[in-house]
């Protein structure tokens, strides 16, 4: 017994040392210290699974090919040129947002892309109609990546189409997350492989890597066809997007079709993930990147983020959009657990006269998430943030747009998991027409939603306050 105690406290002291060396926020470090010393064994186990700081202890490093190294030098040169010329040579739509352009370029290594065509796709039927139409026309390759890929009607359509395209000589690569798609059967995967589809799981759930990887998931959704058309957004491959859910009803979501030079950056995100998951370097060359002509007017910049990024890129994107807004900030997101920085940024914006509105579903797919989100409502409402609850089904979109100028659509929620633990991808459009279009849609959705009244909300039962408080304790790991 004495030996066991010595081993236990020695390990506890070792973990304390790691927390002091690699901890990010004092509050989070203190919470883990309390867990380790007050929950015997369990506290340590939770830390190994959920607490380690991957941003400081990297387990994914990009292979620096000559092409990638040359591109990164181009990014550095672009930012230096902006500094030297005070933004004189930058296009008009981004002149007022040079700080944001440079932030994304230095964080995610993606430059703003000119001459793109963006098409918002609202809900599952419109999204999958567009994706299948694009894949039907593929002549060279189809690259597909999803967090959740569930078997059913949609998965069978993917399988049948891919089998046909393989016979036509089209290369198909499919990447899925090991946890998000954990229900995907070996039989289905084997059918894909037997058909000629290259398939890999991102961080598959295996015992020997369970503690080190289970908390770090690839939440991205990307489809790239022939290097000229791409899709990203919040929609996963699940029949609940076309047939509804027996509990939550219809799932509502926003996806985006992109055509033009911006497709190359989404192809790059896929290629890096593919290299990590497959161990192959075949995607890290210029052969899968096209010299795509400009076909539209939109300027777009890709923002990728993960637990091994040098900085939390998507978090900084959201923070910058909120702080720079002068007229309005409209947010659609199902999982708003913002943390201290974004919480204060939204409060400051609202108190300063910016029209801040949040639209989220009245339903939730998780007890802890539902009450964790609600635990922030009172502070938001007190500052003047307006909150609307969408009454129909489950609203899963991830949108933020400001001042009739900027729109970001992607996979990232407003929570710690998206900012620090998941691999995410968003696109930022410097596009007035798109922003105004989505603003109109947002305001129409607000009209059919229930706005939460501050005074009424403060009179909610103590039982609800207790649930909120309990869920807020777990918010750092939700």
């Amino acid at each position: 017994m004495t030996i066991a105690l010595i081993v236990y406290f020695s390990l506890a002291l070792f973990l304390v040392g790691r927390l002091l060396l690699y901890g990010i926020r004092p509050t989070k470090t203190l919470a883990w210290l309390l867990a380790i010393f007050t929950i015997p064994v369990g506290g340590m186990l939770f830390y190994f699974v959920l607490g380690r700081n991957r941003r400081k202890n990297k387990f994914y490093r990009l292979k620096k090919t000559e092409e990638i190294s040359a591109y990164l030098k181009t990014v550095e040169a672009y930012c230096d040129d902006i500094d030297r010329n005070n933004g004189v040579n930058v296009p008009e739509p981004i002149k007022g947002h040079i700080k944001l352009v440079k932030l994304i370029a230095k964080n995610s290594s993606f430059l703003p892309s000119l001459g793109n065509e963006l098409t918002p796709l609202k809900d599952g039927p419109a999204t999958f109609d567009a994706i299948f139409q694009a894949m039907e026309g593929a002549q060279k390759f189809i690259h597909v990546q999803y967090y959740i890929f569930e078997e059913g009607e949609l998965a069978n359509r993917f399988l049948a189409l891919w089998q046909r395209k393989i016979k036509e000589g089209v290369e198909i690569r499919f990447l899925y997350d090991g946890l998000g798609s954990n229900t995907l059967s070996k039989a289905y995967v084997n059918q894909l492989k037997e058909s000629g589809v290259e398939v890999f799981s991102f961080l598959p759930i295996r015992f020997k890597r369970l503690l080190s990887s289970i908390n770090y998931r690839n939440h991205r959704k990307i489809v790239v066809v022939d290097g000229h058309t791409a899709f990203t957004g919040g929609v996963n491959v699940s029949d609940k997007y076309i047939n509804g859910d027996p509990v939550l009803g219809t799932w509502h979501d926003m996806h985006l079709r992109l055509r033009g030079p911006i497709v190359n950056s989404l192809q790059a995100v896929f290629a890096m993930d593919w290299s990590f998951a497959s161990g192959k370097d075949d995607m890290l060359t210029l052969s899968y990147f096209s010299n795509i002509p400009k076909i539209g007017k939109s300027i777009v910049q890709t923002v990728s983020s993960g637990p091994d990024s040098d900085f939390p890129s998507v978090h900084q994107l959201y923070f910058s959009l909120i702080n720079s807004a002068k007229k309005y900030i409209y947010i659609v997101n199902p999982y708003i657990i913002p943390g201290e920085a974004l919480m204060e940024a939204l409060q400051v914006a609202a108190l300063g006269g910016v029209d801040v509105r949040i639209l989220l579903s009245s339903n939730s797919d998780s007890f802890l998430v539902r009450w964790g989100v609600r635990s922030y409502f009172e502070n938001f409402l007190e500052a003047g943030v307006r909150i609307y609850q969408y009454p129909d089904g489950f609203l899963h979109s991830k949108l933020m747009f400001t001042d009739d100028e900027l729109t970001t659509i992607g996979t990232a929620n407003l929570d710690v998991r998206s900012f620090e633990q998941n691999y995410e991808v968003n696109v930022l459009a410097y596009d007035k027409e798109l922003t105004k279009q989505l603003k109109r849609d947002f305001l129409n959705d607000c009209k059919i939603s229930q706005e939460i009244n501050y005074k009424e909300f403060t009179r909610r039962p103590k039982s609800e306050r207790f649930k909120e408080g309990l869920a807020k304790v777990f918010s750092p790991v939700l």
Side-chain angles (χ1 to χ4, degrees), residues 143-352:
H143 295 154
V144 175
Q145 173 177 356
Y146 279 100
Y147 173 64
I148 295 175
F149 194 98
E150 294 179 351
E151 290 179 66
E153 181 181 335
L154 281 171
N156 290 337
R157 286 182 64 189
F158 272 95
L159 174 61
L161 187 149
W162 290 347
Q163 287 174 331
R164 292 199 312 273
K165 301 309 290 187
I166 286 285
K167 292 177 181 178
E168 295 174 12
V170 175
E171 296 178 6
I172 298 177
R173 294 175 177 86
F174 172 45
L175 185 63
Y176 64 93
D177 183 77
L179 180 64
S181 301
N182 67 312
T183 61
L184 202 59
S185 69
K186 288 184 179 180
Y188 184 89
V189 172
N190 287 337
Q191 276 187 288
L192 291 175
K193 291 179 178 179
E194 290 168 2
S195 301
V197 178
E198 287 193 78
V199 185
F200 285 95
S201 172
F202 193 97
L203 289 179
I205 306 302
R206 293 172 181 161
F207 181 76
K208 65 179 181 179
R209 297 182 63 180
L210 187 64
L211 294 181
S212 64
S213 64
I214 192 170
N215 197 40
Y216 301 94
R217 309 317 315 170
N218 197 314
H219 196 238
R220 294 166 179 157
K221 300 97 180 170
I222 297 173
V223 176
V224 180
V225 178
D226 286 348
H228 59 64
T229 303
F231 299 85
T232 194
V235 178
N236 289 290
V237 176
S238 171
D239 286 357
K240 60 194 172 190
Y241 279 103
I242 56 173
N243 299 327
D245 183 279
V247 177
L248 296 176
T250 303
W251 277 58
H252 301 284
D253 217 325
M254 183 66 72
H255 224 63
L256 192 65
R257 185 183 69 188
L258 306 98
R259 300 178 66 226
I262 187 62
V263 174
N264 277 329
S265 63
L266 289 170
Q267 168 65 16
V269 175
F270 176 87
M272 289 184 282
D273 286 348
W274 181 264
S275 176
F276 175 67
S278 68
K280 299 180 179 182
D281 300 333
D282 56 324
M283 300 289 293
L284 300 178
T285 67
L286 294 179
S287 58
Y288 288 96
F289 296 85
S290 306
N291 186 14
I292 308 171
K294 297 176 182 179
I295 62 170
K297 299 179 180 179
S298 295
I299 300 176
V300 196
Q301 201 168 6
T302 296
V303 186
S304 62
S305 185
D308 294 309
S309 304
D310 291 331
F311 299 97
S313 307
V314 174
H315 180 273
Q316 292 184 351
L317 165 67
Y318 288 160
F319 185 79
S320 298
L321 288 175
I322 293 166
N323 280 335
S324 64
K326 297 178 176 62
K327 299 175 182 177
Y328 73 82
I329 306 158
Y330 294 159
I331 299 170
V332 188
N333 208 294
Y335 309 118
I336 300 179
I337 303 176
E340 294 176 8
L342 288 185
M343 180 75 188
E344 187 166 354
L346 287 166
Q347 289 176 317
V348 168
L351 289 168

Side-chain angles (χ1 to χ4, degrees), residues 427-441:
V427 291
L428 175 66
Y430 305 86
D431 187 321
K432 292 184 178 181
E433 291 183 11
L434 176 69
T435 304
K436 290 178 181 178
Q437 177 185 347
L438 292 172
K439 174 187 175 182
R440 290 192 294 270
D441 187 66

